[in-house]
Amino acid sequence: AAGAVIGAVRAFYCLYGDTVNTAARMCKYAAEGKVHCTAEFARRLDEASQTVAKTEARGPMEIKGKGLMETFNIVFPRLRRTSALQAPPGGVAAAHGTKQSRRSSFA
């Protein structure tokens, strides 16, 4: 991936590359309420964190633009879900009074 500060008046940081594309695909194919990651990320997470987070295999998935990939969910065993962390009925967009779009910029 590559990054750059863009703009002289109103600067912002922009990222480019395969890492950004892969992260976007992991978000797109994530199960509701789950954090989805690649096999490489899962391997590194398992090496670095034995107590805070663990991974569970989702099995091979066909990922658009990437092909067949072994993917994982990240599980946080010490965190409990409370009602404050759960999405409101109708989703986040409904809670904020905005129209929810089914269109994705990653399609």
Side-chain angles (χ1 to χ4, degrees), residues 1-102:
V5 175
I6 301 172
V9 176
R10 188 170 163 217
F12 62 94
Y13 196 77
C14 195
L15 294 170
Y16 306 92
D18 187 57
T19 302
V20 177
N21 181 47
T22 302
R25 298 296 183 206
M26 292 299 103
C27 288
K28 180 178 179 175
Y29 290 93
E32 186 175 341
K34 301 285 186 175
V35 178
H36 193 204
C37 70
T38 63
E40 177 63 17
F41 187 89
R43 182 186 65 77
R44 290 178 185 228
L45 181 64
D46 288 341
E47 288 173 0
S49 172
Q50 295 299 316
T51 57
V52 177
K54 299 185 182 304
T55 58
E56 59 184 30
R58 286 190 69 183
M61 294 183 72
E62 187 68 34
I63 305 294
K64 182 180 177 184
K66 307 298 290 177
L68 194 62
M69 294 179 73
E70 185 71 29
T71 63
F72 294 77
N73 286 327
I74 300 173
V75 179
F76 302 93
R78 298 186 71 178
L79 296 179
R80 291 186 182 191
R81 279 199 131 185
T82 64
S83 59
L85 296 175
Q86 294 174 347
V92 175
H96 293 287
T98 58
K99 185 176 180 182
Q100 191 169 12
S101 172
R102 292 197 176 269

